[in-house]
């Protein structure tokens, strides 16, 4: 309130000035945690949040917008807006990267190992690729199948190797299919590979060098022949029994082919692994 009077006692009209005391300072807002923040797809977004303070008001309202989609890879911007009691606002943003950091898994389809007759045709059984984000069809399109070391013209052990790197640059553990190219054994006409429902069983397999061949029927086993990976016979036995024990403890560790003949003239083959 302003009043004025001159020397003659004249008084001026009172002058009023209204002074409004306001808070014009915006609140302070600061990110807690990393920025950018990397999170895994299909997980829960645990927001570290923000810290706020104000020059006058003890409580500040914070609003968050722009939450990331946790089911879709990408970069997302989360915005935090702090507002004090006077309506002053401050904003801060956080970059959230939703990523895939899990490597695919390659599962072999079909048999492993495979016995292949020399000069035979290798038929690819394929694989299944499992991943936490990308589909099998997507990964099959970028799967690498390496058959470069397979030589069907020479008896021996070979690997077909499967590798894949998903679009997020996660590298799968390579899968290997063992191919045994042989010249004898089941390549001969009439020799059948043992199946799970066969009357003849070979156990234990793998083993430490000693295993048993048993015929569940009344037919006797009359001959047993064991060959190494190049088709060379390393063990043979004739018998007249429906249960035969084979001792390969003097042999090197590895895979062998066992050919079994029963008294009816049937011949069967089975892979045996000596550990």
């Amino acid at each position: 309130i302003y009043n004025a009077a001159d020397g003659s006692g004249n008084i001026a009209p009172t002058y009023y000035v209204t002074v409004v005391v306001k808070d014009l300072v915006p609140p302070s807002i600061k990110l807690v945690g990393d920025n950018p923040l990397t999170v895994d797809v299909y997980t829960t977004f645990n927001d570290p949040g923000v810290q706020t303070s104000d020059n006058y008001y003890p409580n500040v309202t914070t609003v968050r917008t722009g939450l990331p989609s946790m089911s879709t890879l990408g970069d997302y911007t989360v915005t935090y807006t702090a507002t004090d009691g006077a309506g002053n606002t401050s904003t801060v943003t956080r970059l959230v990267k939703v990523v895939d950091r899990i490597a695919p898994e390659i599962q072999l389809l079909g048999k492993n190992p495979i016995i292949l007759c020399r000069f035979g045709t290798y038929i690819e059984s394929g694989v299944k690729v499992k991943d936490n984000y990308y589909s099998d069809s997507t990964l099959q399109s970028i799967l690498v199948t390496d058959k470069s070391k397979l030589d069907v013209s020479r008896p021996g052990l070979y690997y077909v190797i499967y590798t894949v790197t998903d679009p997020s640059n996660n590298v799968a553990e390579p899968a290997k299919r063992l191919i045994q190219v042989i010249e004898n054994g089941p390549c001969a006409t009439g020799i059948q590979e043992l199946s799970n429902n066969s009357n003849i069983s070979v156990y234990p397999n793998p083993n430490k060098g000693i295993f048993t061949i048993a015929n569940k029927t009344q037919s006797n086993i009359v001959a047993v022949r064991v060959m190494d990976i190049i088709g060379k016979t390393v063990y043979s036995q004739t018998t007249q029994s429906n249960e035969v024990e084979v001792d390969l403890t003097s042999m090197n560790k590895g895979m062998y082919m066992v050919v079994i003949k029963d008294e009816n003239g049937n011949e069967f083959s089975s892979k045996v692994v000596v550990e």
Side-chain angles (χ1 to χ4, degrees):
I1 298 172
Y2 299 88
N3 292 306
D6 62 15
S8 299
N10 300 305
I11 300 175
T14 301
Y15 185 77
Y16 297 90
V17 175
T18 301
V19 178
V20 180
V21 179
K22 298 180 67 175
D23 172 23
L24 301 176
V25 179
S28 171
I29 183 170
K30 182 174 68 173
L31 291 173
V32 176
D34 294 336
N35 184 37
L37 176 65
T38 301
V39 295
D40 292 301
V41 67
Y42 294 128
T43 61
T44 301
F45 175 54
N46 295 314
D47 191 351
V50 294
Q51 288 181 343
T52 59
S53 62
D54 190 67
N55 65 312
Y56 182 77
Y57 294 96
N59 296 315
V60 175
T61 302
T62 304
V63 176
R64 181 185 64 184
T65 57
L67 285 177
S69 172
M70 297 305 296
S71 61
T72 306
L73 300 181
D75 292 347
Y76 301 87
T77 300
V78 180
T79 301
Y80 308 84
T81 301
T83 304
D84 64 16
N88 302 302
T89 62
S90 296
T91 61
V92 67
T93 60
R94 186 195 312 273
L95 177 62
V96 179
K97 294 177 172 290
V98 179
V99 301
D100 167 32
R101 294 184 283 194
I102 299 177
E105 294 181 7
I106 304 174
Q107 298 178 346
L108 294 175
L109 300 177
K111 294 181 179 180
N112 184 42
I114 289 178
I115 304 298
L116 186 64
C117 295
R118 187 182 182 188
F119 301 116
T121 301
Y122 170 69
I123 300 175
E124 179 58 59
S125 302
V127 298
K128 180 179 182 181
V129 187
K130 295 178 63 179
D131 189 66
N132 65 311
Y133 186 77
Y134 299 99
S135 67
D136 177 74
S137 59
T138 297
L139 295 173
Q140 290 282 357
S141 66
I142 54 178
L143 176 76
V144 177
T145 303
D146 183 6
K147 305 176 188 177
S148 61
K149 301 297 189 295
L150 176 61
D151 184 358
V152 298
S153 67
R154 300 179 61 184
L157 286 179
Y158 304 93
Y159 284 104
V160 174
I161 302 175
Y162 308 85
T163 57
V164 67
T165 301
D166 69 21
S168 295
N169 209 34
N170 299 302
V171 181
E173 184 74 21
K176 297 181 179 181
R177 192 188 307 276
L178 178 62
I179 313 297
Q180 182 183 12
V181 178
I182 64 173
E183 197 162 20
N184 301 307
C187 296
T189 303
I191 298 182
Q192 309 170 52
E193 188 171 352
L194 288 182
S195 60
N196 291 334
N197 59 359
S198 174
N199 288 325
I200 294 180
S201 60
V202 178
Y203 63 91
N205 190 17
N207 55 71
K208 298 298 183 182
I210 297 178
F211 58 91
T212 299
I213 303 170
N215 193 337
K216 303 173 187 176
T217 69
Q218 297 301 315
S219 299
N220 286 329
I221 298 169
V222 297
V224 175
R225 182 159 51 99
V226 181
M227 292 167 290
D228 61 16
I229 60 174
I230 61 173
K232 179 183 177 182
T233 299
V234 296
Y235 177 95
S236 63
Q237 179 184 165
T238 58
T239 182
Q240 280 289 338
S241 174
N242 60 6
E243 188 170 295
V244 179
E245 183 178 270
V246 178
D247 186 349
L248 298 183
T249 53
S250 62
M251 302 296 171
N252 294 326
K253 296 179 181 180
M255 187 171 68
Y256 294 86
M257 176 62 61
V258 181
V259 178
I260 306 142
K261 184 176 182 179
D262 68 14
E263 62 185 359
N264 298 319
N266 301 312
E267 288 190 308
F268 305 90
S269 70
S270 176
K271 297 180 286 290
V272 173
V273 177
V274 176
E275 294 180 334

